Amino acid sequence: RQMCIRDRIESICFMGGAMGVGNRGPVAEFNIQNDPEAAQIVCCSGCKVVMVPLEVTHTVLATADVLGRINKFESRFGEMVVELLTFFKDTYTRVFGFESPPLHDPCAVAYLIDPGMFVCQHMRVDIECSSPLSLGQTVCDVWGDYSDKPKNVLVAKELSVPKFWDYMIAALTDADRVSPVNNRKRQRDQA
C-alpha cells in the first residue's frame, strides 16, 4: 500500500486566523482571507493542525525594550532587523492603535520550537468560504457547542511573550555573529 502524504506529516502549524476581530476585514485575518478554501482543506485534513491567531500575535510586540536589546548588537544586521520589525509601526498605530508593532509569523515557528510556552485549546475550526461579509473568517467553536463535527484544530490562546523574545534575541544574536552584512559594513568602515 502506498503511504498517504498525510501519514508522513507530524503536524501543520500556521499563523493565521482570529477568534474575533480580523486585520483585513471585520472578522478575517489576512493570511486566511487570501485563500480561505485552502485554509479549510488544511483545517479538515485529519492532520494535527495548530493555529496561532491574531489574538496571540498581537501580544508579541516589538517594544522599545525589545528594539533596545537588538540595537545593542551595534551592527548593520541589528539595524536591518530593527528596520524590519518597525516597518509597519505607523500603520499599526494609525489603524489598530498599537504603540508597538506586533510580530506574526515567527510565533508559529516558536510553537514548533517550544510548544510549552503556549496555552492552547482544542476546538472545531471552520473557514467561511462564501459570505461577502465574512470571507476568510476562522469560525472557532470556543464553547464546544457550535458543531457536531469533531474538534480539528489546536488553537493557541496565550504565549509567554518574555520567553518568546528570549528565544528570538538568542537566535538573532547567533545570526548577527555570522551575518555577511556585518562584514560589508566592517569593510566599508576600514576603507
Side-chain angles (χ1 to χ4, degrees):
R1 139 178 139 79
Q2 287 191 337
M3 183 179 262
C4 175
I5 191 168
R6 185 181 66 212
D7 298 333
R8 297 179 185 193
I9 297 173
E10 185 177 326
S11 65
I12 298 169
C13 181
F14 68 91
M15 182 281 131
M19 291 172 37
V21 177
N23 67 350
R24 182 67 178 175
V27 293
E29 180 274 332
F30 177 82
N31 291 339
I32 303 300
Q33 191 179 49
N34 277 315
D35 196 342
E37 293 83 4
Q40 178 69 8
I41 290 167
V42 168
C43 288
C44 295
S45 66
C47 294
K48 176 185 176 185
V49 177
V50 180
M51 178 176 110
V52 182
L54 286 178
E55 287 81 1
V56 171
T57 65
H58 280 175
T59 67
V60 180
L61 304 178
T63 62
D65 177 61
V66 167
L67 299 175
R69 290 170 70 183
I70 298 167
N71 279 324
K72 286 181 184 176
F73 295 173
E74 296 182 352
S75 66
R76 179 62 190 133
F77 176 81
E79 292 168 4
M80 290 172 63
V81 170
V82 168
E83 290 169 15
L84 288 169
L85 289 174
T86 58
F87 185 79
F88 284 112
K89 182 182 190 314
D90 292 341
T91 301
Y92 269 97
T93 300
R94 186 180 73 257
V95 176
F96 301 107
F98 282 51
E99 288 184 29
S100 301
L103 193 61
H104 298 288
D105 297 318
C107 295
V109 176
Y111 180 86
L112 296 172
I113 293 169
D114 185 358
M117 73 173 124
F118 289 81
V119 173
C120 298
Q121 179 181 346
H122 199 223
M123 62 182 78
R124 180 72 196 183
V125 176
D126 287 295
I127 314 302
E128 175 56 58
C129 294
S130 61
S131 170
L133 295 174
S134 57
L135 182 69
Q137 178 182 16
T138 43
V139 181
C140 301
D141 186 10
V142 176
W143 309 117
D145 59 4
Y146 147 75
S147 174
D148 291 335
K149 296 177 182 176
K151 296 175 181 179
N152 58 339
V153 177
L154 189 62
V155 178
K157 295 180 81 176
E158 294 177 34
L159 164 61
S160 171
V161 175
K163 192 169 185 179
F164 171 88
W165 281 115
D166 286 345
Y167 274 116
M168 182 62 81
I169 298 297
L172 292 171
T173 299
D174 290 345
D176 183 59
R177 284 192 202 107
V178 298
S179 175
V181 299
N182 291 339
N183 293 335
R184 283 190 287 243
K185 184 177 184 218
R186 281 187 217 117
Q187 290 168 354
R188 278 195 310 270
D189 290 346
Q190 292 171 352

